[in-house]
Amino acid sequence: MAHFAKPENALKRADELINVGQKQDALQALHDLITSKRYRAWQKPLEKIMFKYLDLCVDLKRGRFAKDGLIQYRIVCQQVNVSSLEEVIKHFLHLSTDKAEQARSQADALEEALDVDDLEADRKPEDLQLSIVSGEKGKDRSDRELVTPWFKFLWETYRTVLEILRNNSKLEALYAMTAHKAFQFCKQYKRTTEFRRLCEIIRNHLANLNKYRDQRDRPDLSAPESLQLYLDTRFDQLKVATELGLWQEAFRSVEDIYGLMCMVKKTPKSSLLMVYYSKLTEIFWISSSHLYHAYAWFKLFSLQKNFNKNLSQKDLQLIASSVVLAALSVPPFDRSQSASHMELENEKERNLRMANLIGFNLEPKFEGRDMLSRSALLSELVSRGVLSCASQEVKDLFHVLEHEFHPLDLGSKIQPLLEKISKSGGKLSSAPSLPEVQLSQYVPSLEKLATLRLLQQVSKIYQTIRIESLSQLVPFFEFSVVEKISVDAVKNSFVAMKVDHMKGVVIFGNLGIESDGLKDHLAVFAECLSKVRAMLYPVPSKASKLGGIVPNLADTVEKEHKRLLARKSIIEKRKEDQERQQLEMEREEEQKRLKLQRLTEEAEQKRLAAELQERRKQRILREIEEKELEEAQALLEDTEKRMKKGKKKTLLDGEKVTKQTVMERALTEQLKERQEMEKKLQKLAKTMDYLERAKREEAAPLIEAAYQRRLVEEREFYEREQQREVELSRERHESDLKEKNRLSRMLEFKETFQGEVISRRQAEFDRIRTEREERISQIIRARKQERDIKRKQMYYLTSEEERIRKLQEEEEARKLEEAEKRKKQEAEHKAKMDEIAEKQRQRERELEEKEKKRREEVLKGTDAPPARPAEPAVATAAGPPASGAGKYVPRFKRQTAEASGPAAPTPAAEADRWANRGPPPADDHWGSNRGPSQKSDRWTDRWVPGPRGSDRPKRRSPFGSSKPRPAQR
C-alpha cells in the first residue's frame, strides 16, 4: 500500500499508470488513498480524485470498488460539503448510463451490419458453428455479450446510489431522481424482476427510516418538501408498475402510498389523488373486484368535479357514465352467504382494508360488506346527482335494469343501448391524469347482469318455460352460457330454478325441501283448521250472551262498578302524569331559554373581545408599518449617501420605496462591492504569482551554482573525514596489540583460578541435585502410600455397599415370596370356606324342607289316629343305615349310634327329637355363627361339644358362640 504526502501525488501517479495501460493498479492506488484514515478531512483535490476513481470503476466494471469509495467519500464530506458528494454521484450515474447506452447502440449497429443479402458470404465458419450449436440469433448473442454486462453494472449503480442516499436528509432530491431513473430503466427495457427488487429496496428503506428514528441525518417526513418527494417517488413506482402489467406490485405500491399518507397524516395534492384513484380503478378491474372498482370511480368523479375547474361538460358526462356503468357491473348478489365463519372474518378484514384504501373510513364494529355494497352505491349515485350527469343511454340502461319490469322484451330493450355504449369513450381532454375511458369494457358484465335480471323477472311470471323460448329471450349468449350464469345465481340464492334437459324445460320456484312453502306448511295447516272450527262451532250471538249474564246481574254490576272506579283512578293518574310532564316541559323550556340567553351573551362578549383584539392587532400593524417606513427612510438616506460617495446612479423620483426594496438594493450594492473586492484580490494574486514565478526563474541558476559549490565542499569534507578515520583506526589497533602483549603473562593464573571456581561450583551443584532427588523420591513414596490407602478404603466401602445391597435384595425377595405364599393360602382357605358355607346352606335348606313337610304331616295328622310310639325310635335307630339311602344324618348322631349300638331311645328323646338337634361338628365354623338368623324359636337351646377329649356338653346362646373364633390367616 503506497503512502502519499499529498492527494495530488496519488492523482499524478494514477495518471501515469493509466498512460502505460495499468488501469487496475491505478484504481488500487486511488482506492488505497480514499480508504486511508489519513485523509478524512475534505479537500478540493479529493473531488477530482473521486471523479478519476469513478471513471476507472466504470471502465473496469468494478461496482464494489465504486460503492466502497462512495461510502468513504460520504463520511468525509457529509458534514462539510454535501454538494460535492452530490456532484460525484451525478457524475457516476451519468457515466454508467452513457456506457449502457453506448453498448446498446453498438449492439443495434452490429445487428444492422449483419442485415445483408448474402449472410453466408460475410459470416465466418466459427460464427456459423456457434449459431448452429447455440441456436441463438445474432441479436440475442450480441445482447448477451455487449449489452447485458453494462445493464448489470447500471443496475448495480442504481442500487449502490440508493443505498448510500437512503437516510440522508440533505440529498433527498438526488435520492428521488435516482429512483425515478431506475424506474425508467426498468420501464424502458422491460426489467420486471429488477423492478420488483427496486420496489422492495425502497420499501425497506422507508421501513428502516421509521424504525430507527434517532439517526442524525434522518429525513423528516413531516416536512412538506420531503413528503412531496417521497410521494412523487411512490406515484412513479405506481405508474411504472401499471405500465409493465405488474398488478400485484401496483397494489403494493398503492398500499405504500396509503401507509405514507397515514404516517404523516396529511392529504396529498388533488392531482396526485386523481392519479391514485385512476390507478386503483385499473387494479380493481384487473382483479375482478367490481365493487371496489366502482367506488374508486366514484371517488375519482368527486375529485374531478370538485377540484378540476377546467373540466368540460363532455368529459364530466363520460366520467359519470363510467361511474354508473361500473356500479351496474357489480353482481347483484352477495357471494359470502354460504361462506364459513373463517371466510367471513377474512372477507370482513379485506373489505375494511379495501375501504381504507379507497377512502371510506369504516369502523370495525360495522360489517364492511354492508356499508360497501351495490345497493348503497347506487342509492348514493342517485342522491349525489351522478346519474343525472351521465349520458342518456346510461340513464335508460339504469332504469331498465333497476326499476322497470319487462320479462319478455328486456333483452330487446337493452341490446341497442349496449351497442351505443360500446361505441362511446375516448381520451379526456380536460383531465390528462385519467386513463383513456372505454365504456365497452363494461358491456360483458352488463350483458351478464341483464341475463340475471331477465331470469329473475321470468321466474316471477312463469313456473315452467321451454329452453328454446328462454334462449330467444336472451339474445346476448347461448343457452350454455345462460346455464352457467344461472348456476352462479342459484348458488348465491338470487333465483330459484332447475333445468330439465330431458323435458327441454326450465322450472322456476323453490324446489328444495327448505323452501318457504315447506317451512310454513304447519302454520298454513293451523289456519285452515281454525277456519274449519269456526264454521263447525260458530261464535254465539249477543242475545245468548245477555241471557247468560242476566242470572248473575248483581255480580256483573259490582264488577262493572269496580272497573269504573279503577278507570277513574287511572284517568286521574294520567292527568297527574300529564300535568307533571307539562311542568317538566315548561321547566326544560325555561332552562333552554336561559341557556340560549347565556350563550347569546357569551357570543356577544366573545365578539366584543374579538373586535377589541382585532383593533389592537390593527394598531400594532400600523405601528409596525410606521416603524418599517421610518427604517426604510433611514436606509434610503444611508443608501443615497453611499451612492453619492461612490458616484452611483441616484434613485428615481416618485419611486415607491419600502424597507424590503431598500434592503434588497443595499444587499445588491454589498454584493457588487464584494465581487469587485474579489476581482481585485484575484488580480493581486495573479500579480503575485507572476512576481513569484519571475523570482524563481532568476533564482534557479543561482541555486544551481550554490548547489555545485556545496557539492564540491561536501566531497572534500568527506575525503578529509575518511582519511582521519583510517589514521584513528590504525592507532587503536597498535594500542590494542600492546595491551594484549602486556596481559598475556597473566593467562596461566587466570586458567588456574577458573578451574578452581568451576570445580567448586560443580560440587555444589551435585550436592544440591542429590538433595533434590532424595526429596522428590520421598514425596513420591508418600503420595503412593496415600493412594494405596485411598484405594483400599474405596474397595472396602464398595464391598460393604455391595453386601448391604445384596442383603436388601434377599430380604425383599423373601418378603415378596412370603407375601405370595400368604396370598395363596388365603385364597385356598377362602375357597374352602366358601365350599363349606355352600354345603351348610344346602343342609339348612334340606332341614327346612323336612320341617315343612313334618308340619304339614302334623297338621294333617290332627284328624288321624295317634301315631305309634315305636316308629320314631325305629326311624332314629335306622338313621345310619338310612343315610346310605339318601337321608341326611348329622355326624354326631352317627358317632353316638355307632358307640351305643342299637339301643332303643327313651320316650323323652323321642318326644324331643326335633327340638334338641345336636350341633354341627367342631370344625364347622359356619354353624356356630348363625345366631339370630334362625327361622324358629324352638331351637333356643343347643348342645355344643366341649373341648377335644371331653364328652361334657356345653350350653350356648342361640345367637353365637360364647368363645371368640380363632383368628384366620
Side-chain angles (χ1 to χ4, degrees):
M1 179 178 177
H3 296 282
F4 300 98
K6 294 181 179 180
E8 295 88 343
N9 298 340
L11 186 60
K12 292 179 181 178
R13 177 61 179 168
D15 290 335
E16 293 173 357
L17 292 173
I18 292 171
N19 291 332
V20 296
Q22 298 180 2
K23 292 185 177 181
Q24 181 63 39
D25 296 339
L27 177 63
Q28 187 63 42
L30 294 179
H31 182 267
D32 294 340
L33 175 72
I34 293 170
T35 56
S36 176
K37 294 183 179 180
R38 297 178 61 184
Y39 306 103
R40 290 299 175 89
W42 185 84
Q43 304 175 25
K44 186 64 177 177
L46 285 178
E47 185 174 349
K48 297 180 181 179
I49 291 173
M50 281 301 300
F51 286 149
K52 180 64 70 175
Y53 178 76
L54 292 176
D55 291 342
L56 291 173
C57 289
V58 173
D59 290 339
L60 299 175
K61 300 188 185 71
R62 296 302 179 90
R64 186 65 185 176
F65 275 74
K67 184 176 181 179
D68 294 342
L70 287 174
I71 290 174
Q72 294 297 327
Y73 193 67
R74 180 187 64 180
I75 296 172
V76 170
C77 62
Q78 175 68 37
Q79 305 298 330
V80 181
N81 191 359
V82 184
S83 59
S84 176
L85 177 62
E86 183 177 2
E87 294 297 328
V88 168
I89 290 176
K90 286 182 179 179
H91 179 69
F92 183 41
L93 290 173
H94 179 69
L95 286 176
S96 302
T97 308
D98 288 347
K99 288 291 185 180
E101 292 295 333
Q102 289 176 8
R104 186 69 181 176
S105 60
Q106 289 178 5
D108 294 340
L110 182 61
E111 180 65 21
E112 292 177 359
L114 290 174
D115 189 10
V116 295
D117 295 335
D118 191 1
L119 295 176
E120 296 181 358
D122 293 336
R123 299 177 70 179
K124 298 178 181 179
E126 54 269 20
D127 294 336
L128 289 174
Q129 293 178 359
L130 183 61
S131 63
I132 292 172
V133 172
S134 62
E136 295 179 344
K137 297 181 180 179
K139 180 174 176 56
D140 298 335
R141 191 161 54 251
S142 61
D143 287 346
R144 190 182 71 249
E145 295 175 355
L146 298 176
V147 181
T148 304
W150 283 111
F151 276 5
K152 288 182 179 179
F153 183 77
L154 181 58
W155 166 245
E156 189 175 356
T157 300
Y158 288 136
R159 291 190 59 176
T160 301
V161 173
L162 290 175
E163 184 68 24
I164 291 173
L165 302 176
R166 62 188 176 90
N167 52 2
N168 197 326
S169 59
K170 299 177 182 179
L171 296 177
E172 293 175 343
L174 184 59
Y175 179 85
M177 184 193 73
T178 306
H180 177 71
K181 286 185 176 181
F183 288 142
Q184 295 302 318
F185 164 77
C186 297
K187 174 186 172 183
Q188 182 178 359
Y189 300 109
K190 308 296 182 184
R191 309 303 303 176
T192 57
T193 305
E194 285 76 10
F195 179 76
R196 292 192 185 94
R197 292 174 183 169
L198 179 62
C199 295
E200 193 64 29
I201 288 170
I202 296 176
R203 197 172 292 116
N204 291 334
H205 288 175
L206 183 60
N208 293 332
L209 192 66
N210 295 323
K211 185 176 180 181
Y212 307 105
R213 296 178 176 270
D214 55 347
Q215 293 180 351
R216 181 173 58 182
D217 298 321
R218 174 183 174 273
D220 187 10
L221 294 179
S222 60
E225 296 82 4
S226 301
L227 177 61
Q228 189 63 35
L229 287 173
Y230 274 87
L231 282 176
D232 292 340
T233 303
R234 295 306 186 281
F235 276 102
D236 288 342
Q237 174 181 334
L238 178 59
K239 292 177 183 178
V240 175
T242 53
E243 290 175 1
L244 290 176
L246 302 175
W247 301 108
Q248 185 69 26
E249 199 61 43
F251 182 74
R252 296 184 67 185
S253 302
V254 168
E255 288 185 328
D256 293 342
I257 294 171
Y258 176 74
L260 196 59
M261 290 189 293
C262 293
M263 190 186 305
V264 298
K265 297 181 181 179
K266 290 183 181 179
T267 305
K269 297 179 181 178
S270 58
S271 58
L272 295 179
L273 284 178
M274 291 177 189
V275 175
Y276 175 80
Y277 284 110
S278 64
K279 298 303 179 183
L280 265 183
T281 56
E282 297 181 21
I283 294 170
F284 287 139
W285 182 256
I286 293 296
S287 63
S288 299
S289 301
H290 299 293
L291 180 60
Y292 305 130
H293 171 76
Y295 269 101
W297 259 116
F298 180 50
K299 293 289 289 186
L300 190 57
F301 172 81
S302 302
L303 287 173
Q304 288 289 342
K305 189 176 181 180
N306 295 331
F307 295 101
N308 192 354
K309 304 301 181 183
N310 300 324
L311 187 65
S312 61
Q313 187 64 29
K314 182 180 178 182
D315 294 344
L316 179 64
Q317 183 179 5
L318 192 57
I319 296 174
S321 301
S322 299
V323 176
V324 176
L325 292 178
L328 289 175
S329 300
V330 180
F333 43 77
D334 188 7
R335 296 181 181 273
S336 60
Q337 290 182 355
S338 60
S340 62
H341 177 71
M342 184 64 69
E343 292 175 352
L344 289 177
E345 290 296 327
N346 294 335
E347 183 69 17
K348 186 192 300 183
E349 185 178 353
R350 180 173 177 268
N351 287 334
L352 185 61
R353 181 181 171 192
M354 295 299 121
N356 290 331
L357 289 180
I358 297 172
F360 288 85
N361 295 324
L362 299 181
E363 297 183 5
K365 61 183 180 179
F366 295 112
E367 292 288 341
R369 64 174 183 273
D370 294 338
M371 298 186 68
L372 294 182
S373 60
R374 184 178 185 272
S375 57
L377 178 59
L378 291 175
S379 60
E380 188 130 3
L381 294 182
V382 175
S383 62
R384 295 288 183 88
V386 180
L387 183 62
S388 60
C389 297
S391 61
Q392 188 61 38
E393 295 85 1
V394 176
K395 293 179 183 178
D396 297 340
L397 182 64
F398 178 80
H399 288 294
V400 170
L401 290 175
E402 298 298 326
H403 299 294
E404 297 181 2
F405 186 78
H406 301 287
L408 299 180
D409 54 352
L410 181 64
S412 60
K413 285 180 175 294
I414 289 179
Q415 190 171 12
L417 296 176
L418 294 179
E419 291 178 357
K420 292 180 181 179
I421 290 172
S422 62
K423 297 177 182 178
S424 303
K427 187 69 177 176
L428 301 178
S429 59
S430 58
S433 60
L434 295 183
E436 186 176 358
V437 178
Q438 294 293 339
L439 302 182
S440 58
Q441 64 179 351
Y442 301 108
V443 172
S445 299
L446 294 173
E447 290 177 349
K448 184 178 179 180
L449 175 65
T451 305
L452 290 172
R453 290 297 185 194
L454 189 143
L455 291 174
Q456 186 183 31
Q457 294 178 9
V458 168
S459 66
K460 293 180 180 180
I461 62 173
Y462 287 104
Q463 187 175 2
T464 305
I465 187 173
R466 296 186 62 81
I467 294 177
E468 294 81 2
S469 302
L470 186 60
S471 300
Q472 293 176 1
L473 294 178
V474 184
F476 319 116
F477 306 113
E478 297 180 356
F479 184 73
S480 59
V481 182
V482 176
E483 192 172 2
K484 292 180 181 179
I485 296 172
S486 64
V487 168
D488 198 10
V490 171
K491 179 182 177 182
N492 293 280
S493 302
F494 182 73
V495 65
M497 59 179 292
K498 182 175 74 173
V499 180
D500 192 346
H501 287 282
M502 294 182 64
K503 298 180 180 179
V505 296
V506 177
I507 304 172
F508 295 100
N510 295 325
L511 306 173
I513 61 173
E514 295 294 333
S515 62
D516 295 336
L518 292 179
K519 286 180 181 178
D520 301 336
H521 67 284
L522 292 177
V524 174
F525 182 66
E527 291 177 359
C528 294
L529 287 179
S530 178
K531 291 179 182 179
V532 171
R533 181 181 177 280
M535 293 174 63
L536 293 176
Y537 304 100
V539 180
S541 61
K542 293 183 179 180
S544 61
K545 286 185 179 180
L546 184 59
I549 291 174
V550 168
N552 300 324
L553 185 58
D555 296 338
T556 305
V557 171
E558 187 177 357
K559 289 180 181 179
E560 186 67 19
H561 180 65
K562 290 181 179 179
R563 188 181 65 81
L564 291 175
L565 290 177
R567 183 172 179 272
K568 184 179 180 180
S569 63
I570 291 171
I571 291 171
E572 290 177 356
K573 188 176 181 180
R574 287 181 179 176
K575 285 182 179 180
E576 292 176 0
D577 293 342
Q578 190 174 3
E579 291 175 359
R580 186 168 59 255
Q581 291 178 0
Q582 186 70 22
L583 290 175
E584 290 179 357
M585 290 176 62
E586 290 178 358
R587 192 181 299 109
E588 290 179 358
E589 291 291 337
E590 183 66 21
Q591 291 178 357
K592 288 181 180 179
R593 187 182 63 78
L594 293 175
K595 185 177 181 180
L596 182 61
Q597 184 179 358
R598 186 169 61 255
L599 292 175
T600 306
E601 292 176 356
E602 290 177 358
E604 184 66 21
Q605 291 177 1
K606 289 181 181 179
R607 186 183 64 80
L608 294 176
E611 290 181 356
L612 180 61
Q613 189 71 18
E614 186 66 24
R615 287 196 297 272
R616 289 179 181 176
K617 190 184 295 183
Q618 294 292 336
R619 179 173 57 78
I620 292 170
L621 290 176
R622 284 197 303 271
E623 291 178 357
I624 291 172
E625 289 178 357
E626 291 175 357
K627 188 175 181 180
E628 287 181 353
L629 185 59
E630 292 177 359
E631 292 177 356
Q633 289 178 356
L635 286 173
L636 184 60
E637 293 175 358
D638 190 10
T639 305
E640 287 178 353
K641 290 179 182 179
R642 190 165 58 252
M643 287 181 178
K644 289 179 181 178
K645 183 178 179 181
K647 297 181 181 181
K648 298 291 182 78
K649 184 178 179 180
T650 59
L651 298 174
L652 298 177
D653 296 336
E655 185 179 0
K656 186 177 180 180
V657 179
T658 61
K659 179 183 177 181
Q660 186 68 23
T661 306
V662 175
M663 291 178 68
E664 289 177 357
R665 293 188 179 182
L667 290 174
T668 304
E669 293 296 329
Q670 292 178 4
L671 183 61
K672 288 182 180 179
E673 291 178 0
R674 191 180 298 111
Q675 290 176 355
E676 290 177 358
M677 184 61 68
E678 288 178 357
K679 289 181 181 179
K680 289 180 181 179
L681 290 175
Q682 290 178 359
K683 187 175 180 181
L684 180 61
K686 191 174 182 180
T687 304
M688 292 178 67
D689 189 16
Y690 289 158
L691 290 174
E692 185 66 23
R693 187 181 298 111
K695 285 166 58 179
R696 291 190 179 185
E697 289 178 355
E698 292 294 331
L702 299 177
I703 292 173
E704 183 67 25
Y707 173 73
Q708 295 296 333
R709 286 197 303 274
R710 181 67 179 271
L711 191 62
V712 172
E713 292 175 359
E714 291 289 338
R715 186 178 294 108
E716 292 176 355
F717 177 75
Y718 174 75
E719 292 176 356
R720 191 167 53 253
E721 289 292 327
Q722 186 73 16
Q723 185 66 27
R724 189 171 64 83
E725 184 67 25
V726 169
E727 292 176 357
L728 289 174
S729 299
R730 187 178 293 110
E731 291 176 358
R732 282 196 298 271
H733 180 68
E734 292 175 355
S735 62
D736 291 339
L737 289 176
K738 290 178 181 180
E739 186 70 18
K740 179 181 179 181
N741 294 328
R742 188 179 67 83
L743 296 175
S744 60
R745 56 182 180 165
M746 297 168 38
L747 183 61
E748 295 179 359
F749 300 100
K750 173 251 182 188
E751 290 178 354
T752 303
F753 177 75
Q754 183 179 358
E756 293 177 355
V757 171
I758 289 174
S759 61
R760 187 171 61 251
R761 290 183 179 179
Q762 183 66 32
E764 182 71 18
F765 173 74
D766 294 340
R767 182 182 61 79
I768 293 172
R769 184 173 62 183
T770 304
E771 292 177 355
R772 179 174 176 275
E773 289 177 354
E774 291 179 355
R775 188 169 59 255
I776 289 172
S777 62
Q778 291 177 0
I779 292 172
I780 290 172
R781 285 194 299 273
R783 289 182 179 177
K784 186 176 180 181
Q785 291 177 0
E786 290 178 359
R787 285 197 301 271
D788 293 341
I789 293 170
K790 287 183 180 180
R791 191 179 298 112
K792 290 178 181 179
Q793 290 177 353
M794 292 297 295
Y795 176 75
Y796 174 74
L797 292 175
T798 305
S799 303
E800 189 65 22
E801 289 177 357
E802 184 67 21
R803 186 182 64 79
I804 293 171
R805 185 178 61 79
K806 288 182 179 180
L807 290 176
Q808 291 176 353
E809 290 178 355
E810 291 175 357
E811 182 68 20
E812 291 177 358
R814 185 182 61 77
K815 289 181 179 180
L816 184 62
E817 185 178 356
E818 289 179 357
E820 292 292 335
K821 186 176 181 181
R822 187 166 56 251
K823 288 181 181 179
K824 186 176 180 181
Q825 290 176 358
E826 289 177 357
E828 292 176 354
H829 181 71
K830 184 177 180 182
K832 185 176 180 182
M833 292 298 105
D834 291 343
E835 184 179 357
I836 294 171
E838 183 64 27
K839 289 181 180 180
Q840 183 67 24
R841 284 194 296 270
Q842 183 67 25
R843 289 195 296 268
E844 289 177 358
R845 283 196 296 269
E846 291 176 356
L847 290 175
E848 287 176 0
E849 290 177 358
K850 290 179 181 180
E851 180 67 20
K852 186 176 180 182
K853 290 179 181 180
R854 189 191 66 78
R855 287 181 181 180
E856 290 177 356
E857 290 177 357
V858 170
L859 291 175
K860 291 179 182 180
T862 53
D863 298 333
R868 289 179 298 177
E871 291 179 356
V874 172
T876 306
S883 62
K887 183 177 179 180
Y888 172 75
V889 178
R891 183 177 179 182
F892 74 95
K893 285 184 177 292
R894 291 198 303 269
Q895 293 175 356
T896 304
E898 292 174 357
S900 60
T906 62
E910 177 65 23
D912 201 17
R913 184 165 62 95
W914 295 100
N916 295 325
R917 292 186 299 163
D923 58 349
D924 188 1
H925 301 285
W926 293 93
S928 63
N929 294 327
R930 290 170 60 193
S933 64
Q934 306 297 329
K935 298 286 183 175
S936 175
D937 294 336
R938 296 168 58 191
W939 304 330
T940 57
D941 298 327
R942 293 189 178 182
W943 293 95
V944 180
R948 184 174 298 177
S950 177
D951 296 334
R952 183 180 179 182
K954 291 184 179 181
R955 194 165 187 86
R956 53 170 292 181
S957 174
F959 298 102
S961 175
S962 60
K963 292 178 64 179
R965 294 176 60 188
Q968 297 179 7
R969 291 187 61 182

